[in-house]
Structure formats: structure tokens, C-alpha cells
Amino acid sequence: MGKKSEQFTSEVNLEFVKQRRLELGLSLQDLAESLGFKNASTYMKYEEGSYSFKANQLPALANKLECRIENFFGLGFAKIAK
């Protein structure tokens, strides 16, 4: 039926989040504290996908991971955001 269009997803790319954390040498506890969690196990549940990141957590996450919020989403989001 024609070209397949890129699909927008509101799901945070958890693989990107984890990879970026590891690239920067940050611990689960580092991220937990930046999001206001008391311990690493709570943050780990977000990174594993048991819990979903909330929109109000994304600015702090992006700041800690030294990236833009757009980096958490697929290409479709970046193109729509332009």
C-alpha cells in the first residue's frame, strides 16, 4: 500500500537509558538520587520497564544522562518535534 511511515512511540527507549548510564559510568544509585528515589532498586524497576518513567522525571533524567529528552524516544518523535 505504499511506504511504511515512521511510527511515533511514547515509550521511553530503556536500552538507550541503560546504555547511556553505563557509558557515563553512573550507578543505579546515582540515577535513583537524581530522580528523588531513596534506593537503587526503585530506579532499577524503571530502567527494567517494571515501572514507566513519568513526563516530569524526564528533564532530571536527561540532565543526569547528559542528553536531550528527545533521545529517549524513537526517530518518529524527533521528526514530529521539529
Side-chain angles (χ1 to χ4, degrees):
M1 287 236 168
K3 274 170 87 175
K4 201 176 192 183
S5 63
E6 292 186 48
Q7 188 174 0
F8 167 74
T9 178
S10 60
E11 295 290 319
V12 171
N13 181 339
L14 300 177
E15 186 59 37
F16 172 82
V17 171
K18 181 177 182 177
Q19 186 61 39
R20 188 70 183 141
R21 177 178 60 78
L22 295 173
E23 285 172 7
L24 295 172
L26 299 170
S27 70
L28 292 169
Q29 187 63 38
D30 291 331
L31 272 291
E33 290 171 5
S34 72
L35 294 175
F37 305 141
K38 290 185 179 181
N39 54 51
S41 63
T42 301
Y43 171 77
M44 186 175 68
K45 291 176 182 176
Y46 283 84
E47 196 173 272
E48 289 179 338
S50 297
Y51 300 155
S52 296
F53 286 106
K54 308 294 183 270
N56 65 349
Q57 295 169 323
L58 298 182
L61 187 63
N63 185 50
K64 192 70 176 178
L65 295 177
E66 300 175 13
C67 67
R68 298 179 59 158
I69 292 172
E70 292 87 8
N71 296 130
F72 298 141
F73 302 95
L75 291 175
F77 180 82
K79 289 186 177 184
I80 290 170
K82 287 184 180 177

